Amino acid sequence: MMSPEHTTFFTKLTQILRKHGLKLSFALVTLLIYSNYLYTQDTLFTLIALCGLVNVLLLGRASKAHQAGEFFADPLSQLSVTGTTLTVKQHQLDVTAINKVVLDRLDDDEGLLDFPFNRYQKTAMRFPAEHLPAVRQWLLTHLPNATIIR
């Protein structure tokens, strides 16, 4: 019988493999290529393969952090409407100019709200996924003419 430590380890390992399986497969192939060039002592291709291995392991990290926006525990605290002006974080947008709003789940834990067709391009925010219904209702109430994109 397995001890709780082993169960936890294998559970975590299974979660990692499910989440990053393709990335780990690419890393394994690149590692094999790197090992081959290292064994044949081909310095140039060894360095190229090593750079490829590092890039595969970092795949997706910068883009997610850069594009997803800031995290807010309470997204409704960052939204307000005064007259025809919508304030998102510190940015003010004209309510009549907002036709589309992105509201979707990023993963099991986080949601995303963005106004992609505005002049600031920094209005995206991430928040706990349990706030999705409240944010959707807020948008339907305050921006009734906007289409919510998933």
Side-chain angles (χ1 to χ4, degrees):
M1 181 157 183
M2 285 191 186
S3 67
E5 296 88 29
H6 287 101
T7 305
T8 304
F9 171 75
F10 288 117
T11 304
K12 288 182 181 180
L13 182 62
T14 303
Q15 290 172 349
I16 289 170
L17 288 173
R18 284 185 182 153
K19 187 173 183 181
H20 303 289
L22 186 60
K23 184 171 153 179
L24 291 173
S25 299
F26 284 140
L28 180 62
V29 168
T30 310
L31 183 61
L32 291 172
I33 293 169
Y34 168 74
S35 300
N36 178 52
Y37 287 127
L38 187 63
Y39 177 74
T40 59
Q41 297 180 352
D42 191 340
T43 308
L44 178 63
F45 286 113
T46 301
L47 290 174
I48 291 171
L50 181 62
C51 289
L53 178 62
V54 170
N55 283 322
V56 165
L57 293 174
L58 295 176
L59 187 68
R61 294 182 65 76
S63 63
K64 181 180 177 184
H66 175 69
Q67 294 177 358
E70 294 177 76
F71 182 84
F72 292 97
D74 181 13
L76 296 178
S77 69
Q78 301 299 314
L79 300 170
S80 66
V81 174
T82 308
T84 60
T85 303
L86 168 67
T87 303
V88 182
K89 299 190 280 187
Q90 70 272 15
H91 304 292
Q92 294 184 344
L93 307 171
D94 181 15
V95 171
T96 59
I98 298 173
N99 297 325
K100 296 181 181 180
V101 178
V102 174
L103 178 67
D104 203 0
R105 183 179 291 270
L106 283 175
D107 55 28
D108 291 340
D109 301 324
E110 292 185 357
L112 172 71
L113 173 64
D114 194 7
F115 301 85
F117 305 107
N118 68 73
R119 61 184 169 173
Y120 295 109
Q121 300 298 321
K122 292 188 178 185
T123 54
M125 69 173 94
R126 295 176 296 119
F127 55 89
E130 63 261 13
H131 290 285
L132 277 166
V135 173
R136 178 177 298 283
Q137 187 57 46
W138 191 94
L139 291 170
L140 291 172
T141 302
H142 293 90
L143 303 172
N145 297 327
T147 303
I148 297 176
I149 303 170
R150 299 183 101 211

